[in-house]
Amino acid sequence: HPDLQANVYTNPGEVPDDGIDNDGNGFIDDVRGWNFTDLRSGAPGENGSPDPSSPALTGNLGHGTASSGAAAAVTDNGQGVSGTSWNARLMPIAAGCPTRDNLICFGYSGLLYAALMGADVVNASWGGPGASELEARIVDAVTDDGTLIVASAGNSGTSSDRFPSFPASYDRVLAVGATLKDTQGLCGSNFGRSVSVYAPGCRINVPLPGNAYGTASGTSFSSPLVAGVAALVKTMDPTLTADQLRERLRVTSDSIDDFNPAFAGRLGLGRVNALRAVTETDNPAIRLTDVTFLDDDGNRQLSTGDVATLNLSFVNHLADADGVTVRLGTDDPAVTLVDTDDTVGAIASGGTAQATVSFQVTPPDDDPRQLVLFVEIEDASGYADVAVIRLTANESAFASHATAQLSVSVTDEGNIGYLGFQGESPGSGFVWNGNSLLFEGGLLVATGPERVSDSVRGTSTAQDQHEDFARADDSFLEIVRPGGFTTEQGEVTITDAPAPDPLGVSIYQVSYIDDTPAHDDFMVIRYTITNETDDPIEGFHAGLFLDWDVSQTDPGADFARFDDALGFGYIQNGPSATLAAGAFLLTPEAGSHYRAINNPTEIYRDAVGGGFTETEKFAFLSNGIQSRTLSRTDASQLVGAGPYRLDPGASIDVAFALIGGGSEAALLESARAAQALWDDVLSTVTSADDPEPAPGAFALHAVFPNPFTEAATVGFTLAAPGAVTLEVFDVLGRKVATLLDRPMQAGSHTTAWDGRDHAGRPVAGGVYLVRMAAQGTGGPVQAVRRVVVAR
């Protein structure tokens, strides 16, 4: 576009169109930014192309051109429009989706690329609900590396305090709302104390594709206006960190409460004032950095009636502050304030402080709900700021794992996917490649038809669900990222004490999910079952019931199939599957049991005594390989193991892989990968507190320390001699360094990574993956560990 060309960035380290990565950054010919959307083949491991304008999806191109112009259209050229930054360089990064317009698929890859290339400010005119640990770490890494992220707050007209939008709602992002151009009234924008600042966002004059001009509305265009102002401030003071730059824009903004009386007190710090931002340097900026709480019953969960003490940590990013006080507030009817005020005193520039306040959880019922509180911060000079705190009360006992391919919830009541049934209860289900495949899933343990403890449906057709498991008093469901051996690891201990006739077992439930390509289609769940009684338990069986709905448009069109070689039964959406899912028993040593269940004839029965009876549950759980194939029906499956004898205090391990795929072949390949992961790695884990492998087993140990600044130790165990490759990759999949590539003897070994790349340069702060390939007892194996470099 003629109003953008003169300001478009040129990478000085790259020679155009020579097919060589001249600057060694892992991207070939990236002279004018990068296109993550274009998935045409490039160099090995490369994703995208150096042409940010391809493919030509009209919505993406129009949106990108318009938002670019709001920030950096050329000024004083006698044509078109002017961006808010007259001298900033514009680095275009295409982060949309390859074939679907007006969507973002590679936003966080784009943020990392911008930081890699030294961008001072990156504008993210996109977002939506749903936060993730990985995204939050990327935001922190990009910010630590010196790049300020400015993001649109969203256009739904809702409170971001209660319904956050990401990346705007991550703590270190400058979230921008939209006002009218002339009156400073809101312009369809999200609002809230957590929206940092506002700028005009209705009918903004912008360049458009085809060398045209027009107007555009929304926070997508107020955000780049603010990003341009951030560039002005960075020009005036290049020494500002990204955190300081963000705060300079916030604390020099003007209140717009008078223009929006219905939203007064809920509009962040107001509308950005460019003149104040480039001239005022005497304001403090005290921000909340960490919140922990202690509830009065000490169980680390907020429940109705609890009094919670909040421990608050603050940092002052800008000028010195004196006489600092904090006050806890809320407009949430489920919160009663108890001890609201604390005096902090002086906080020097760069200094930190702590404060303590308290509140009581007082909703009218015990239903799960989000609590929204805010902390008002003031000093003696008249500086005032506010921070938002979101907590969960009466939290549903589920937690969700996720890879790029798969998300699945686990619970502390023995359920999988949901706490109850799909659409009726909390949980993210079992979602493979965007397809929700599970209606209900849960654990069963039994010694006979009269003694079954389970968490699945009962005899009143599908209207009830047994609740025979509960979390042990001293246990909490949590997901650890990174896990001991995989990307994520969930842990909780449950018992069958609530059952009508409990067996007297405790069950240590550990779930594993891994985002390496060979593993990202399945979750492994292991149950370590211990006899807590004084008598032996004979004839013990354990299994999973899964009601899959893989035929997305017609639940009655499922097909059940069984692979004899693997002993693996699964449900698919047709004779030739394009969607399939199944539970695969990884520990068949005591005996393997399977039944494909025809729901209409075997479970959905209205007669007295119908439904899913205890007799049926035990028969399906203990009678070997039974019904294997079904066609064109609503199908479920039960997969079991046993019989076991459990002496008093004795334990057994029963493990399953829950797998999703786009074909039978892919599903079977994932089953083989899950079995290898179990045999070579996970079966060696002995306890939650000490997840170290058994002597001689293959394992890549947790990197220590993690995060690290100067150097980290990488330990591993080889089960057999052979070639070992140990490499480090960034989260874009580019190889950063090779730590080992040579033959080694079996046994335990360590090496170190000094946080430098293959050229000896310190890598940027952020998330990296250590990948190991070696020889296991059954053939080649590999493992991945996540590590964070703190700069």
Side-chain angles (χ1 to χ4, degrees):
H1 197 288
D3 218 6
L4 296 176
Q5 284 180 0
N7 279 348
V8 175
Y9 158 90
T10 299
N11 180 358
E14 199 72 33
V15 176
D17 302 322
D18 67 350
I20 299 173
D21 181 13
N22 304 103
D23 61 0
N25 70 348
F27 296 87
I28 295 173
D29 292 337
D30 58 326
V31 176
R32 305 280 183 145
W34 193 255
N35 190 329
F36 289 93
T37 301
D38 189 348
L39 300 183
R40 295 174 299 181
S41 60
E46 185 177 295
N47 183 34
S49 77
D51 179 5
S53 66
S54 174
L57 297 174
T58 56
N60 288 351
L61 290 178
H63 193 271
T65 301
S67 57
S68 297
V74 179
T75 60
D76 296 331
N77 62 347
Q79 63 178 321
V81 299
S82 297
T84 47
S85 174
W86 63 272
N87 69 339
R89 290 290 173 258
L90 171 67
M91 181 194 298
I93 301 172
C97 297
T99 59
R100 297 185 64 188
D101 211 353
N102 299 305
L103 290 174
I104 289 289
C105 284
F106 299 99
Y108 291 90
S109 297
L111 297 180
L112 285 163
Y113 177 85
L116 172 74
M117 299 307 294
D120 295 299
V121 181
V122 58
N123 178 71
S125 286
W126 47 271
S132 84
E133 180 73 15
L134 178 58
E135 291 173 3
R137 289 187 181 189
I138 289 173
V139 167
D140 284 342
V142 167
T143 308
D144 288 340
D145 207 44
T147 300
L148 171 64
I149 302 171
V150 182
S152 53
N155 307 308
S156 58
T158 58
S159 170
S160 290
D161 297 344
R162 188 160 289 280
F163 303 104
S165 176
F166 299 93
S169 292
Y170 288 121
D171 289 339
R172 299 175 73 185
V173 173
L174 187 70
V176 183
T179 68
L180 298 166
K181 281 200 288 191
D182 301 324
T183 69
Q184 300 186 44
L186 289 186
C187 172
S189 170
N190 289 357
F191 60 90
R193 298 172 180 88
S194 56
V195 176
S196 309
V197 294
Y198 295 79
C202 272
R203 298 189 60 78
I204 303 302
N205 301 319
V206 291
L208 296 174
N211 299 337
Y213 294 91
T215 60
S217 298
T219 57
S220 283
F221 307 100
S222 56
S223 181
L225 290 179
V226 172
V229 176
L232 295 179
V233 178
K234 186 72 172 180
T235 300
M236 286 291 293
D237 190 349
T239 65
L240 292 174
T241 67
D243 288 316
Q244 292 171 327
L245 178 58
R246 179 191 65 244
E247 295 310 310
R248 177 76 71 81
L249 289 160
R250 291 182 69 254
V251 301
T252 57
S253 295
D254 299 326
S255 172
I256 57 174
D257 282 2
D258 290 347
F259 301 94
N260 302 274
F263 301 98
R266 295 179 291 162
L267 295 171
L269 293 192
R271 192 171 75 159
V272 163
N273 184 320
L275 178 60
R276 290 184 63 195
V278 297
T279 57
E280 294 184 14
T281 60
D282 57 352
N283 298 292
I286 302 167
R287 300 306 307 276
L288 182 66
T289 58
D290 189 41
V291 179
T292 60
F293 72 84
L294 180 65
D295 54 326
D296 51 6
D297 61 10
N299 70 353
R300 296 185 293 169
Q301 292 183 325
L302 294 176
S303 304
T304 298
D306 279 353
V307 174
T309 299
L310 296 177
N311 299 304
L312 311 175
S313 299
F314 301 90
V315 64
N316 183 6
H317 290 291
L318 296 178
D320 295 349
D322 291 312
V324 178
T325 61
V326 300
R327 174 173 296 154
L328 183 67
T330 188
D331 49 19
D332 192 327
V335 172
T336 298
L337 301 177
V338 177
D339 189 359
T340 60
D341 293 58
D342 199 1
T343 299
V344 175
I347 311 178
S349 176
T352 61
Q354 285 73 43
T356 302
V357 291
S358 61
F359 69 95
Q360 186 173 26
V361 183
T362 55
D365 51 47
D366 292 330
D367 292 340
R369 66 183 65 226
Q370 179 179 254
L371 308 179
V372 179
L373 304 96
F374 51 87
V375 178
E376 297 171 333
I377 308 155
E378 297 179 352
D379 82 341
S381 72
Y383 161 78
D385 211 333
V386 66
V388 173
I389 300 172
R390 303 180 188 91
L391 299 169
T392 302
N394 303 320
E395 187 169 8
S396 298
F398 77 91
S400 296
H401 287 292
T403 69
Q405 280 287 88
L406 177 66
S407 65
V408 55
S409 291
V410 291
T411 79
D412 66 0
E413 297 179 1
N415 310 91
I416 295 171
Y418 307 96
L419 279 163
F421 302 115
Q422 181 185 42
E424 302 176 13
S425 60
S428 63
F430 183 99
V431 180
W432 180 85
N433 197 27
N435 299 284
S436 182
L437 304 181
L438 185 65
F439 177 76
E440 178 198 7
L443 175 68
L444 307 89
V445 296
T447 57
E450 297 81 21
R451 296 191 74 187
V452 178
S453 298
D454 69 272
S455 58
V456 301
R457 68 190 66 178
T459 54
S460 300
T461 65
Q463 302 306 309
D464 72 321
Q465 192 174 55
H466 292 175
E467 298 178 354
D468 294 344
F469 300 111
R471 174 175 54 85
D473 290 340
D474 58 349
S475 181
F476 303 93
L477 174 63
E478 39 185 359
I479 290 180
V480 179
R481 305 175 177 91
F485 289 90
T486 55
T487 306
E488 297 179 353
Q489 179 173 319
E491 302 175 359
V492 69
T493 297
I494 61 179
T495 77
D496 76 332
D501 188 7
L503 299 173
V505 293
S506 66
I507 302 167
Y508 173 49
Q509 171 186 298
V510 187
S511 49
Y512 305 91
I513 203 164
D514 195 64
D515 58 10
T516 56
H519 300 154
D520 64 359
D521 292 315
F522 61 83
M523 178 186 79
V524 171
I525 189 162
R526 180 185 68 183
Y527 302 98
T528 301
I529 303 169
T530 303
N531 179 3
E532 302 290 354
T533 74
D534 295 329
D535 300 310
I537 300 177
E538 301 276 4
F540 182 86
H541 291 76
L544 294 179
F545 170 77
L546 291 309
D547 184 355
W548 300 102
D549 283 340
V550 297
S551 298
Q552 300 286 282
T553 59
D554 181 4
D558 291 341
F559 288 70
R561 296 292 183 261
F562 192 87
D563 183 84
D564 289 298
L566 288 173
F568 176 30
Y570 45 93
I571 312 296
Q572 60 191 46
N573 65 344
S576 298
T578 58
L579 279 176
F584 177 41
L585 177 64
L586 301 171
T587 53
E589 294 81 9
S592 180
H593 310 273
Y594 179 81
R595 186 180 182 99
I597 303 170
N598 189 328
N599 290 343
T601 61
E602 297 185 83
I603 292 181
Y604 300 153
R605 295 168 298 171
D606 295 326
V608 175
F612 202 6
T613 68
E614 307 300 90
T615 298
E616 288 172 319
K617 289 174 183 176
F618 186 71
F620 296 172
L621 188 62
S622 61
N623 282 347
I625 308 301
Q626 304 160 58
S627 172
R628 306 179 185 207
T629 61
L630 297 168
S631 297
R632 295 183 177 86
T633 189
D634 181 7
S636 57
Q637 62 176 187
L638 198 150
V639 186
Y644 299 92
R645 173 188 168 93
L646 279 170
D647 289 322
S651 300
I652 56 167
D653 275 340
V654 184
F656 305 88
L658 277 67
I659 309 170
S663 68
E664 289 183 82
L667 204 73
L668 297 176
E669 182 61 29
S670 291
R672 286 186 282 267
Q675 189 71 64
L677 179 63
W678 172 259
D679 291 342
D680 292 335
V681 181
L682 300 181
S683 64
T684 66
V685 180
T686 57
S687 76
D689 297 323
D690 184 24
E692 290 299 316
F698 167 80
L700 175 60
H701 303 276
V703 181
F704 181 82
N706 189 8
F708 76 93
T709 302
E710 300 297 332
T713 298
V714 182
F716 56 94
T717 301
L718 299 179
V724 175
T725 303
L726 199 61
E727 300 168 310
V728 181
F729 295 81
D730 65 17
V731 294
L732 298 181
R734 298 168 303 172
K735 185 163 67 175
V736 172
T738 299
L739 307 183
L740 284 173
D741 188 8
R742 60 185 175 87
M744 300 191 73
Q745 295 299 313
S748 297
H749 306 272
T750 61
T751 188
W753 182 36
D754 60 2
R756 295 178 179 271
D757 65 13
H758 51 78
R761 300 168 298 199
V763 300
V767 181
Y768 293 85
L769 303 174
V770 179
R771 186 174 75 186
M772 177 182 177
Q775 187 71 21
T777 54
V781 291
Q782 68 172 7
V784 174
R785 288 286 188 169
R786 192 184 303 268
V787 62
V788 177
V789 178
R791 297 294 193 206

